[in-house]
Amino acid sequence: MTPMTPVSECPGIVPQLQNIVSTVNLACQLDLKKIALHAKNAEYNPKRFAAVIMRIREPRTTALIFSSGKMVCTGAKSEEQSRLAARKYARVVQKLGFPARFLDFKIQNMVGSCDVRFPIRLEGLVLTHQQFSSYEPELFPGLIYRMVKPRIVLLIFVSGKVVLTDYVNLDFFIGAKERSEIYEAFENIYPILKGFKKT
Amino acid sequence: MAVSKHLTRGRKMAHVIAACLYLVCRTEGTPHMLLDLSDLLQVNVYVLGKTFLLLARELCINAPAIDPCLYIPRFAHLLEFGDKNHEVSMTALRLLQRMKRDWMHTGRRPSGLCGAALLVAARMHDFRRTVKEVISVVKVCESTLRKRLTEFEDTPTSQLTVDEFMKIDLEGECDPPSYTAGQKKLRMKQLERVLSKQLEEVEGEISSYQDAIEIELENSRPKAKGALASLTKDGLERMLGISLEAEPLRPGSPLLPLGMRSSSDAACGGELSPGCAPSTRVPAHSLPALAGWSSQFVHPCFWLGAMQSCPGASLALLDRDRDRDRDRDKDQAWGSSVEDTTSSVFGEEDAEDEELEAAASHLNKDFYRELLGGGLPGSSEAAGGPEGRGRPPALESLLGPLPTAASLGISDSIRECISSQSRDPKDACGDGELDLSGIDDLEIDRYILNEAEARVKAELWTRENAEYLREQREKEARIAKERELGIYKEHKPKKSCKRREPIQASTAGEAIEKMLEQKKISSKINYSVLRDLDSKAGAGLPREDARPEEQAPAEEQAPAKKLPRRKTSASRSGAGSGTSVGKRLRPMVSPQLAKKVAVGEALLPSPSSLEAEPGGPTAVVVESGPVSYHPEEDADEEDADEEDGEPCVSALQMMGGDDYGCDGDEDDGY
């Protein structure tokens, strides 16, 4: 349903993945206090948040580990890295004495960004694509474009930078799970943006 | 409509109302800002904005983008330009249009632009309006206004005189400021990359320089003052060892300086990193001297590591800088310049590798700059020291978020962890169980504290969270006690949902009374009149404006609002509106309400004592469906509405005949 202009361009600009959020189930109850006290890179502040925040350096990621055994891993720049990082966290937990497993590893969200290198006329874009775009300068300087297929939300800024992700404001938690979706979305939006290029 | 799409659930009523109101404002083009509404409601404008966006999206209403020109008359009026109001407004408008052509307005708050335009216009017409006055009217921050003015200054239009501006319109258009800033950053990055590449090329000269440095340091050693001179190379080593242990919590934090400077340098300022203090073994009197090195310096380990990792680069830089800086006053100048460079470097950099290298090279340059030059006693020792020691922490390890445990003086683990960063993670293929391939056990072990460390951390953590733990214990004690007494209630803090029983009443009037009693509504309600409702005493109907729980004042103002009244009258007409209706009415009522009323009625053995006055637009109301009830009641409602002669009638008519297809089923939870 995206209005597409039949041009095949995208002159070599590829969106870079910036962040990947994934979840995994370690399938065992965890004693957060024990983990926090025996792990080097762990923070635990029960008053503020009910999870241990652990970080590893390679790949550079942060994980939230909950007492139910569920874990959220963020900060990786690729799917493989995210998986590796999650496994490392699981291994740490294992070594601390819990029977951790590695069930249901799932990538929840991917964020990519790129630069089209020309200024974009956001007002024009919101006029012609109003069923997809929402532009509220009072609230946020970028235009929020909700592409239907693939279901991706793009934040388009006047400077030509575009951020692609799958949810904004946590309205719905489904969307880009595949890197290809992000690329596809960018390829869809690029001709449209070119149409609103500042002369 | 909002209610029909269940958008009011989980949201504050007031928010939804304000959002609808704002939507209308936008479509009409009135100069009302979302900020005004949020001011009125005393909520965060972004929260309101979120509701507004959601509403607009769900209702598929796309409000046209706000034009800053709309705000000019409003603000101009507030700024009180007197006779010249119109002229100033015109000028401001022209300015705004120019800004638009210069792409300054995209993505910016219209009020900020207005403010800037008005300020300039006022000055052009010889009105002295200060920035403060303008911002109090326009409601933006002073820095925002200044920024807009600066951006405008950057455009060629700003160079025109007043008269020229009024007559001429420059042809060229500027790029949006964010775009130009982005381009500049890109260029800077490229420059840095080129620079770092060049540095690496000079790698070969390192060793000779290293020797040269050592010699110089040896020479300058005798100049060390007494207290400092006591710090031998060993002392330095120990100190370095300390600094190694006491790693910084984040780059740029004030750290234990490597070198020892004369006490005069203590004036440079800077503080010791807290973690260093307890673990240091350096004699106390030299600590201030140490502190004086530079407050902005990165950890010496960093230098070490950086040195090791790109020694060539650093020394090359060093060479250049040495020539440059030789004549400079060593102490103060170096300290400050280094601080500047370091801070700037750290300000911009993130953990990307190429930037890290560039940063490292910068820092090394500074480090060496400090080392060099004979006037630095002890610094020589410091420099001499680190070179020999090969403990190259990788940059990432130091710049990344390091654990607090580090400050506990866990030297061994840290040394281990920093020594091997380059493990290539092999590709993994996972399955249900944890697949260990590609995970280096040693690396994992490094993330685990040993006994002693764990104890220390436990102690610290317990101290930190003492309050929380105490609260937990008290809570448990309380629960245990209550359990014993048998009165323990789960989820005590939650408000207990009072499930009232449906009112048993023989007449609608009685029902109303009972309900009102239960609800403890305002005493302004004239009960006797209510009782006469069924006999259609329209005139004397008491205004139930004072129903606090059910209405926000804002409601009544909006013509576009769905029937706030309707609800009131609905409950008034009682139709036996049981507690359910009375309690749970929502402002964004649709014809659903009527059905709700009907449903409520169904609960009660409400008689049809209410005279059915089938008149009135009943089209809206009756949906035969699950609602067992009678058109009459609804008709009555409508009549009541009409009699009130309130705007809600028009709204009713607006919705009249519009069947939203909602069934009683959808009255979830009612």
Side-chain angles (χ1 to χ4, degrees), chain A residues 33 35-47 55-60 62 80 83-84 86-92 94-96 100-103 115 117-123 126 129-142 144 146 158-161 169 171-172 196-199, chain B residues 22 26 33-35 45-46 49-50 52-54 57 62 66 71 103 105-110 173-176 178-179 182-183 186 351 397 399-403 405 413-414 417 421 423 425-428 430-439 441 443-449 454 457-458 461 465 467-468:
Chain A
K33 192 165 156 199
I35 294 181
L37 295 181
H38 289 267
K40 203 164 19 140
N41 311 7
E43 279 173 42
Y44 181 40
N45 198 344
K47 216 178 354 180
R55 300 187 164 91
I56 57 174
R57 279 176 282 265
E58 180 60 46
R60 186 96 94 86
T62 306
E80 272 313 306
R83 195 188 180 89
L84 177 67
R87 283 192 295 121
K88 288 195 180 179
Y89 287 113
R91 187 74 186 117
V92 174
Q94 257 182 13
K95 286 217 157 186
L96 287 173
R101 297 175 56 208
F102 198 74
L103 301 175
D115 186 359
R117 296 185 208 258
F118 51 78
I120 304 174
R121 233 182 322 128
L122 299 180
E123 305 81 24
V126 77
H129 289 64
Q130 60 186 46
Q131 65 263 54
F132 306 111
S133 13
S134 140
Y135 171 48
E136 203 61 40
E138 283 200 26
L139 293 172
F140 188 65
I144 305 171
R146 291 170 203 272
V158 68
S159 56
K161 301 241 170 37
N169 284 338
D171 282 337
F172 43 88
F196 291 97
K197 177 174 172 169
K198 172 178 173 280
T199 47
Chain B
Y22 186 61
R26 283 286 283 268
M33 297 193 291
L34 195 58
L35 224 69
V45 68
Y46 292 109
K50 200 169 145 191
F52 166 69
L53 281 176
L54 194 72
R57 195 156 46 92
N62 230 319
I66 198 84
Y71 291 142
W103 284 71
H105 75 297
T106 323
R108 272 81 193 279
R109 277 223 180 130
E173 289 180 357
C174 299
D175 284 333
S178 52
Y179 178 70
Q183 294 300 314
L186 263 174
S397 69
L399 292 178
L402 285 178
S413 345
I414 293 186
C417 79
Q421 284 309 310
R423 306 255 165 177
K426 295 172 210 137
D427 272 327
D431 51 8
E433 293 291 326
L434 178 56
D435 180 12
L436 291 179
S437 68
I439 298 181
D441 249 17
E443 187 193 341
I444 302 288
D445 279 336
R446 262 178 265 124
Y447 287 118
I448 301 180
L449 303 168
K457 184 168 182 188
W461 185 87
N465 293 288
E467 202 183 302
Y468 174 77

Side-chain angles (χ1 to χ4, degrees), chain B residues 588-649:
Chain B
M588 311 307 274
V589 147
S590 60
Q592 255 190 335
L593 176 61
K595 284 172 227 122
K596 284 178 197 161
V597 173
V599 168
E601 292 164 354
L603 294 176
L604 314 167
S606 30
S608 42
S609 51
L610 288 176
E611 230 67 60
E613 303 222 50
T618 50
V620 187
V621 173
V622 187
E623 186 83 331
S624 47
V627 173
S628 57
Y629 201 65
H630 345 280
E632 310 151 340
E633 298 292 347
D634 303 329
D636 204 36
E637 230 176 272
E638 255 97 84
D639 290 336
D641 283 353
E642 281 166 5
E643 281 155 14
D644 293 344
E646 290 173 10
C648 67
V649 176

Side-chain angles (χ1 to χ4, degrees), chain B residues 487-505:
Chain B
I487 58 171
Y488 176 59
K489 271 196 279 186
E490 288 283 340
H491 303 301
K492 244 188 168 171
K494 256 201 218 154
K495 254 195 319 188
S496 48
C497 322
K498 292 184 266 183
R499 290 229 159 262
R500 297 213 197 111
E501 307 187 354
I503 300 175
Q504 308 286 329

Side-chain angles (χ1 to χ4, degrees), chain B residues 226-231 239 256-257 259-263 266 272 280-293:
Chain B
L228 301 174
S230 64
L231 284 167
M239 221 186 47
L256 183 69
M260 295 153 291
R261 302 180 65 126
S262 55
S263 40
L272 273 182
T280 189
R281 280 169 265 162
V282 174
H285 56 261
S286 56
L287 283 184
L290 298 178
W293 183 267

Side-chain angles (χ1 to χ4, degrees), chain B residues 59-357:
Chain B
L59 300 178
C60 302
I61 299 172
N62 230 319
I66 198 84
D67 191 356
C69 301
L70 287 176
Y71 291 142
I72 295 276
R74 178 182 161 193
F75 292 141
H77 179 71
L78 285 168
L79 281 172
E80 289 168 12
F81 289 120
D83 294 336
K84 289 184 121 190
N85 205 335
H86 182 72
E87 286 178 36
V88 179
S89 304
M90 283 291 114
T91 319
L93 272 170
R94 218 181 136 75
L95 276 164
L96 258 184
Q97 271 158 14
R98 185 64 231 175
M99 284 182 190
K100 277 196 196 170
R101 289 191 60 189
D102 282 333
W103 284 71
M104 266 177 60
H105 75 297
T106 323
R108 272 81 193 279
R109 277 223 180 130
S111 43
L113 286 166
C114 281
L118 275 170
L119 189 64
V120 178
R123 296 271 167 88
M124 279 165 75
H125 287 269
D126 297 325
F127 279 102
R128 298 245 139 262
R129 293 283 176 269
T130 64
V131 172
K132 283 207 175 57
E133 289 172 9
V134 175
I135 61 178
S136 65
V137 162
V138 165
K139 299 193 189 108
V140 290
C141 184
E142 190 182 326
S143 51
T144 313
L145 202 59
R146 281 194 204 287
K147 193 149 178 262
R148 299 287 167 266
L149 290 172
T150 323
E151 287 169 0
F152 188 61
E153 211 179 332
D154 289 335
T155 68
T157 312
S158 63
Q159 306 301 322
L160 301 173
T161 67
V162 176
D163 292 325
E164 283 175 1
F165 174 71
M166 301 307 276
K167 298 193 184 77
I168 312 174
D169 219 3
L170 286 178
E171 278 311 311
E173 289 180 357
C174 299
D175 284 333
S178 52
Y179 178 70
T180 41
Q183 294 300 314
K184 216 164 61 163
K185 246 196 257 180
L186 263 174
R187 262 179 276 134
M188 291 287 291
K189 257 200 214 176
Q190 280 172 352
L191 263 176
E192 282 208 6
R193 249 179 251 145
V194 168
L195 204 65
S196 56
K197 271 193 210 130
Q198 284 176 355
L199 301 179
E200 284 169 11
E201 289 164 12
V202 204
E203 212 159 299
E205 307 172 36
I206 302 165
S207 46
S208 55
Y209 286 136
Q210 272 183 347
D211 294 333
I213 292 169
E214 295 223 323
I215 294 170
E216 276 213 59
L217 295 178
E218 290 287 325
N219 295 344
S220 50
R221 206 168 283 185
K223 294 187 200 156
K225 295 200 179 164
L228 301 174
S230 64
L231 284 167
T232 59
K233 220 175 184 183
D234 289 334
L236 236 194
E237 218 172 326
R238 260 182 288 125
M239 221 186 47
L240 288 183
I242 295 164
S243 9
L244 258 186
E245 298 163 10
E247 279 191 325
L249 298 185
R250 58 182 187 288
S253 56
L255 287 187
L256 183 69
L258 238 197
M260 295 153 291
R261 302 180 65 126
S262 55
S263 40
S264 64
D265 299 340
C268 279
E271 315 104 54
L272 273 182
S273 134
C276 296
S279 53
T280 189
R281 280 169 265 162
V282 174
H285 56 261
S286 56
L287 283 184
L290 298 178
W293 183 267
S294 163
S295 57
Q296 300 272 358
F297 268 29
V298 187
H299 197 279
C301 252
F302 179 94
W303 292 341
L304 283 186
M307 272 173 56
Q308 295 284 350
S309 52
C310 39
S314 47
L315 281 172
L317 266 180
L318 166 68
D319 184 41
R320 282 188 228 147
D321 293 337
R322 200 188 347 178
D323 298 334
R324 243 193 293 145
D325 298 339
R326 198 151 277 172
D327 20 327
R328 258 201 263 169
D329 175 31
K330 280 127 197 162
D331 301 341
Q332 228 43 41
W334 284 11
S336 53
S337 65
V338 166
E339 285 175 21
D340 291 345
T341 340
T342 332
S343 52
S344 66
V345 162
F346 271 117
E348 314 173 330
E349 109 184 73
D350 33 0
E352 288 163 27
D353 285 343
E354 44 223 1
E355 289 197 309
L356 274 179
E357 279 186 358

Side-chain angles (χ1 to χ4, degrees), chain B residues 533-551:
Chain B
L533 256 186
D534 38 1
S535 40
K536 288 252 296 133
L541 280 176
R543 321 262 318 161
E544 286 191 52
D545 295 354
R547 279 236 187 152
E549 317 100 25
E550 292 170 340
Q551 296 188 16

